[in-house]
Amino acid sequence: MRKTVAFIGAGILTATVAACGGGAQAAGSDKTLTLAESVTATPWDLAKASMGPEAQYYQPVYDTLIRLNTKGEPTPNLATSWTYDKAQTTLTLKLRDGVKFTDGTALDADAVRQNLLHTKSGTGTAAGEIQDITGVDVVDAHTVAVRLSHPTAAVLPALGQVSGMIASPKALDGPKTPIGSGPYKLDTSATTAGQTYTYTRNPDYWNAKAFPYGKIVIKYLADPTARTNALLSGQLDGATLNLNRVKTVKGRGLNVVTYQPGDVEGLYIWDRAGKKVPALGKLKVRQALNYAFDKQALIKSTKTGLGTPTTQVFAKGEDGYQAALDDTYSYDPKKAKELLAEAGYPNGFAVTIPDFSAIFPQEQAALTQSLKDIGIKVTLDSLPSDQIFSAMLSGKYAMSYFKLGAPTAWDKVQLELTNKSTWNPFKYDDPKADDLIARIGKATGTAREKLFEQLNTYVVDQAWNAPWSVIANAYATAKDVKVTPQPGGQYPPIYNYTPAK
């Protein structure tokens, strides 16, 4: 299992660190780091924030209570140490002294209290990550006690992500300009909302040497070809890369790292109760969809062979993963048609799905053809790239191509498998899954792992989705930039970029 979800055991966890001195800037501090994002920003209210790729927009401004290192392990940041009580339902955080927001307000325990409760009150995935918090108490000016509904291994990793970001108490509710205590400030004069975001150094940041660039620019570029061309022309210093362009980009002398962040792609079935498309409420129909895809061929054609076939949303190394489950469904279009017939759909059924051709052309083509091969009549609905995800979340589509990624298995559960999950647009509710998830949330150690395995087996047997593969990701940087991928992250956090030596 990943270490990020296994911190609470029989003892009390404590972490301490000496304060890192600010002011001493590393080599390259006058340089600009220009990055591309494939998704738009949703600024700046953290209660509405997501923990996906768009987190990179928040990272320059909002510092986090915890810092996840390159192994995904919690390390001190704004919180210099932490302890659990004997019952493991109170997490006490000691806060760094002398930190100020860029509006001059001091970062103290009450600011942390306000932030955690504000973020928790929202509906975004950042809010979902900390729903186990029942209250926050100010112990003294630099100590905060976070009360939990039950022992959980998920809260510390969450505090190292968007859920643990801290904004100025004066700018919590949907500010036009974000105000944090992070290493940078948003330069509104050089920012165009929805297109380009420019961040300049916060001169008072306590750990400036950890951020060697004087300025960070993040550009929204949804089109993968446009991102590649911008990289090759020197307009970008970093961006995700389609796997079929890795060889070309490497040949031009740029740096490329490939890694498996744990993202699982495939056909995601949102309407499992059949509210919009009645056929999907039938188990045999959902199972038929799992037999429709030649996963090895898909990996070869769409991922240049980089990827691992799977039937489960949990990746190897995550809680709940079981290698044997990957043999549950094989490529068998004949069996798929038989199951459709047994479910009362001998001639298939019709479904409208979002057209991802502009972003994932090969994946969309493969999905559409595979469905047509078993008799499903597919209509593609074309929307601008920046509108597809909001349409999906509104419940417009019964199923679609999708890839789900998160730092931990518990994060994936919160993202898709609960009746309140963001990526459960039809709010599908299953009492057996609900019970397992509730028990996982309260369990630790071996008992927790076994419950995760039971949940995973149940979700696969019930064919909640039709996954294809645990995908490989490619990230390219300019010759003079080095980046280290982060476990569970499609985009590296900004503190993992450094000038190449």
Side-chain angles (χ1 to χ4, degrees):
M1 73 181 71
R2 284 190 180 166
K3 293 180 179 179
T4 51
V5 295
F7 286 100
I8 299 181
I12 299 174
L13 172 68
T14 304
T16 58
V17 70
C20 298
Q25 298 181 5
S29 61
D30 60 335
K31 294 183 178 180
T32 298
L33 179 70
T34 304
L35 309 174
E37 270 277 7
S38 61
V39 298
T40 54
T42 52
W44 294 103
D45 187 345
L46 292 172
K48 300 176 181 178
S50 296
M51 52 171 281
E54 57 265 48
Q56 209 173 50
Y57 291 108
Y58 300 113
Q59 289 166 354
V61 174
Y62 298 131
D63 215 354
T64 51
L65 288 168
I66 304 294
R67 172 66 48 79
L68 299 182
N69 65 18
T70 54
K71 295 181 179 180
E73 300 166 339
T75 64
N77 198 46
L78 289 179
T80 59
S81 68
W82 50 88
T83 58
Y84 281 98
D85 66 348
K86 187 175 181 180
Q88 298 181 351
T89 55
T90 299
L91 171 65
T92 300
L93 302 167
K94 291 288 185 179
L95 304 177
R96 189 173 300 281
D97 194 7
V99 176
K100 289 187 176 182
F101 297 101
T102 54
D103 64 358
T105 305
L107 187 148
D108 59 13
D110 191 58
V112 171
R113 180 190 66 82
Q114 291 185 55
N115 269 267
L116 291 178
L117 295 179
H118 175 73
T119 298
K120 173 184 159 64
S121 72
T123 57
T125 55
E129 291 293 292
I130 54 174
Q131 288 306 302
D132 292 331
I133 294 176
T134 59
V136 183
D137 299 325
V138 173
V139 178
D140 59 41
H142 294 98
T143 309
V144 63
V146 179
R147 289 182 276 115
L148 306 171
S149 59
H150 51 77
T152 172
V155 68
L156 276 175
L159 297 181
Q161 302 172 65
V162 179
S163 306
M165 289 183 175
I166 305 297
S168 170
K170 297 179 180 179
L172 282 179
D173 298 311
K176 293 182 179 180
T177 302
I179 299 175
S181 63
Y184 300 90
K185 300 183 292 184
L186 183 71
D187 181 354
T188 55
S189 67
T191 293
T192 303
Q195 298 180 30
T196 302
Y197 296 82
T198 300
Y199 308 84
T200 55
R201 186 178 290 282
N202 173 7
D204 299 320
Y205 186 62
W206 63 274
N207 193 18
K209 66 181 182 181
F211 297 88
Y213 294 95
K215 181 186 295 185
I216 291 179
V217 177
I218 300 178
K219 297 182 177 182
Y220 167 55
L221 288 175
D223 183 79
T225 300
R227 291 198 300 271
T228 301
N229 290 340
L231 279 164
L232 293 174
S233 64
Q235 298 176 58
L236 293 176
D237 296 308
T240 57
L241 192 67
N242 277 9
L243 294 173
N244 60 4
R245 301 305 301 274
V246 169
K247 185 176 180 180
T248 298
V249 172
K250 279 186 175 180
R252 295 282 291 272
L254 276 69
N255 303 316
V256 179
V257 290
T258 57
Y259 53 99
Q260 286 194 344
D263 293 12
V264 174
E265 74 168 346
L267 176 68
Y268 280 72
I269 304 169
W270 311 119
D271 185 20
R272 303 182 198 108
K275 294 180 180 179
K276 193 177 190 72
V277 177
L280 295 175
K282 304 284 187 178
L283 174 59
K284 288 187 176 181
V285 169
R286 300 195 303 272
Q287 291 174 333
L289 295 175
N290 276 269
Y291 287 106
F293 301 103
D294 187 343
K295 298 171 185 177
Q296 291 285 7
L298 284 168
I299 292 170
K300 183 177 180 180
S301 64
T302 68
K303 306 297 177 187
T304 65
L306 296 173
T308 305
T310 191
T311 65
Q312 50 196 309
V313 295
F314 301 130
K316 186 177 181 179
E318 294 177 347
D319 287 317
Y321 171 80
Q322 299 170 80
L325 285 178
D326 287 332
D327 297 326
T328 306
Y329 305 105
S330 58
Y331 175 54
D332 192 339
K334 180 180 178 181
K335 185 172 181 64
K337 292 178 181 179
E338 291 173 352
L339 286 168
L340 286 173
E342 291 172 12
Y345 297 90
N347 299 314
F349 58 92
V351 63
T352 298
I353 63 177
D355 186 1
F356 277 103
S357 298
I359 311 174
F360 306 108
Q362 294 172 304
E363 292 85 349
Q364 183 65 75
L367 173 74
T368 304
Q369 188 60 53
S370 297
L371 293 176
K372 288 182 177 179
D373 287 346
I374 64 170
I376 297 176
K377 304 168 187 66
V378 177
T379 298
L380 295 179
D381 186 29
S382 297
L383 287 175
S385 298
D386 60 350
Q387 296 179 25
I388 290 180
F389 291 110
S390 59
M392 290 168 64
L393 289 171
S394 73
K396 184 176 183 179
Y397 306 108
M399 62 186 198
S400 70
Y401 169 81
F402 193 65
K403 55 182 178 179
L404 180 72
T408 71
W410 182 248
D411 294 329
K412 287 183 177 178
V413 169
Q414 296 303 306
L415 277 172
E416 201 219 355
L417 302 185
T418 78
N419 55 17
K420 296 180 181 179
S421 292
T422 300
W423 285 106
N424 181 5
F426 287 83
K427 302 309 172 189
Y428 179 70
D429 192 21
D430 183 301
K432 183 172 181 177
D434 291 344
D435 176 65
L436 286 168
I437 291 168
R439 290 161 64 193
I440 289 169
K442 298 177 181 178
T444 59
T446 302
R448 188 171 188 267
E449 173 65 19
K450 289 181 178 179
L451 288 168
F452 253 118
E453 291 176 356
Q454 291 178 41
L455 175 65
N456 195 15
T457 299
Y458 182 71
V459 167
V460 171
D461 288 345
Q462 292 295 305
W464 281 22
N465 301 301
W468 302 346
S469 65
V470 181
I471 64 173
N473 202 52
Y475 198 92
T477 58
K479 297 177 183 180
D480 59 351
V481 175
K482 178 183 177 182
V483 70
T484 303
Q486 191 84 357
Q490 184 181 359
Y491 286 72
I494 60 166
Y495 49 82
N496 282 6
Y497 294 82
T498 59
K501 296 179 179 179

